[in-house]
Amino acid sequence: MSCVYRSPAWEKMAPRAPRGLAPALLWGLSLFLGLPGPVWVQLSPPPKSSSPTEPHPCHTCRGLVDSFNKGLERTIRDNFGGGNTAWEEEKLSKYKDSETRLVEVLEGVCSKSDFECHRLLELSEELVESWWFHKQQEAPDLFQWLCSDSLKLCCPSGTFGPSCLPCPGGAERPCGGYGQCEGEGTRGGSGHCDCQAGYGGEACGQCGLGYFEAQRNASHLVCSACFGPCARCSGPEESNCLQCKKGWALHHLKCVDIDECGTERASCGADQFCVNTEGSYECRDCAKACLGCMGAGPGRCKKCSPGYQQVGSKCLDVDECEMAVCPGENEQCENTEGSYRCVCAEGYTQIEGVCVKEQIPESAGFFSEMTEDELVVLQQMFFGVIICALATLAAKGDLVFTAIFIGAVAAMTGYWLSERSDRVLEGFIKGR
């Protein structure tokens, strides 16, 4: 047997703490100061126009109602699921419209991160409770009763704006069924029709630019594309053009490309030339050798740039290095496209604007940075290793005794030979 908690009379009469941080703080302050009633702040109604990052209040209200309806389905399913049918029907009738069920549903209506939903729920919680206990029978559609009639955030489908005016084309078929009415279903928007591709007019009841009527009856319009450059046409063929797009001219019901480069319609810079394209033109840069040009390449120059000279019909680079243009000592000339530069000759480097001979450092041995003491130790070890290796190869007796003896002899011999072999070994190590 299930038990449903019933609030005592004094608890129902006590003021309920509002949801949200700011209202809750004011409510607590009123209790602390002993005021006769809680302090309430009238929250401003939702703005009529929302920023692009925030949903329209109508959409928020619709989402709240959808979540509320899902909560109703969930609570019925979770609390009753088989067993004693007669008992369930008796208890279900009591639980169906109970405050317990309403609280369970409202607790899961808004997600934790949905600030707009929580804000709207704070504004409308009393309305939801009024609908739950008193209005369900006469107004079963919560969305219509709450979002449209009570909060006045939404409009019926096919209407828009504060007064819920019909969209262009009528509320039954807004924008003729070929576009989207801006603000449809909300108390905002301009009601302007955003038509689908190929359709135009105030209510999307005409064919747009570049399309023609392929079929029309009392309720439907089919628009098909004209031939490429045609702005208006009577059919899909090239010869059905009635008006041409920009960059094209109508000639015998055909659209012919206009050569802007051969007329005064093209506007290119002094160092550019014109290239005609279908329906338009392009401005491209002249060659580096040209001061003004009539086309691409050094053979279409009007004049030659400095550093170039006319050779036949082309502007070619002048080799300045054929003249004495680099007077500095140990300098040589390097020709560049349209100019030249002076660089130091091979084996010289520039220091403070003067070419001086490069200083090549002497090649050093691998151990050239060793100190004299380190070199002496290395000499002793070198001779000791050689003698030890030879003695080990010759020894056939006790390896331990042989190693001790050979080590002592190697150390003494190395020390004795170090003073006499300094010059020879040092030259060997340093590569001299």
Side-chain angles (χ1 to χ4, degrees), residues 250-309:
L250 186 64
H251 182 70
H252 297 304
L253 298 180
K254 292 184 179 181
C255 289
V256 182
D257 176 50
I258 297 174
D259 185 1
E260 292 86 357
C261 298
T263 65
E264 296 182 356
R265 299 188 181 189
S267 178
C268 295
D271 292 325
Q272 293 180 320
F273 65 96
C274 178
V275 177
N276 186 55
T277 61
E278 285 195 354
S280 186
Y281 67 95
E282 295 178 357
C283 292
R284 300 179 184 176
D285 293 335
C286 296
K288 187 178 179 181
C290 301
L291 278 179
C293 64
M294 298 172 290
R300 304 297 304 276
C301 299
K302 294 179 181 179
K303 291 179 62 177
C304 295
S305 299
Y308 294 85
Q309 62 182 353

Side-chain angles (χ1 to χ4, degrees), residues 391-409:
T392 302
L393 292 174
K396 296 181 180 180
D398 191 341
L399 293 179
V400 177
F401 175 78
T402 302
I404 295 173
F405 174 76
I406 293 302
V409 173

Side-chain angles (χ1 to χ4, degrees), residues 211-212 225-227 230-244 250-255:
Y211 289 81
F212 69 97
C226 297
F227 185 75
C230 300
R232 289 194 309 111
C233 63
S234 58
E237 303 297 330
E238 181 183 5
S239 58
N240 294 144
C241 296
L242 302 176
Q243 181 183 342
C244 298
L250 186 64
H251 182 70
H252 297 304
L253 298 180
K254 292 184 179 181
C255 289

Side-chain angles (χ1 to χ4, degrees), residues 19 27 35 51 61 82 92 95 107 127 153 168 206 227 319 361 426:
R19 300 189 181 186
W27 181 81
L35 297 177
S51 64
C61 192
L92 179 59
Y95 174 77
E107 286 178 349
L127 288 172
L153 299 176
Q206 304 171 10
F227 185 75
D319 188 358
E426 185 175 355

Side-chain angles (χ1 to χ4, degrees), residues 88-242:
E88 282 192 358
E89 289 179 353
E90 177 185 356
K91 297 305 177 184
L92 179 59
S93 62
K94 296 179 180 179
Y95 174 77
K96 180 180 178 182
D97 299 323
S98 67
E99 183 178 3
T100 301
R101 186 185 181 196
L102 175 62
V103 172
E104 291 177 2
V105 172
L106 290 179
E107 286 178 349
V109 163
C110 300
S111 64
K112 294 182 179 179
S113 60
D114 194 344
F115 172 79
E116 293 299 322
C117 178
H118 284 286
R119 180 177 181 276
L120 183 59
L121 184 58
E122 288 176 4
L123 288 170
S124 59
E125 187 170 6
E126 291 184 2
L127 288 172
V128 174
E129 291 177 355
S130 175
W131 176 84
W132 180 259
F133 293 114
H134 307 295
K135 302 289 185 179
Q136 284 195 66
Q137 299 301 324
E138 60 183 270
D141 187 345
L142 177 60
F143 173 77
Q144 177 68 32
W145 184 87
L146 178 66
C147 302
S148 296
D149 300 338
S150 300
L151 295 177
K152 298 190 182 303
L153 299 176
C154 301
C155 287
S157 178
T159 63
F160 74 98
S163 302
C164 295
L165 299 176
C167 289
E172 295 295 326
R173 201 164 180 228
C175 301
Y178 301 110
Q180 180 64 44
C181 175
E182 184 184 351
E184 180 187 358
T186 73
R187 298 282 174 148
S190 65
H192 172 75
C193 285
D194 182 15
C195 301
Q196 300 173 8
Y199 295 85
E202 181 182 359
C204 305
Q206 304 171 10
C207 291
L209 193 68
Y211 289 81
F212 69 97
E213 290 187 7
Q215 185 179 352
R216 177 190 282 273
N217 56 33
S219 59
H220 290 84
L221 170 65
V222 178
C223 296
S224 299
C226 297
F227 185 75
C230 300
R232 289 194 309 111
C233 63
S234 58
E237 303 297 330
E238 181 183 5
S239 58
N240 294 144
C241 296
L242 302 176

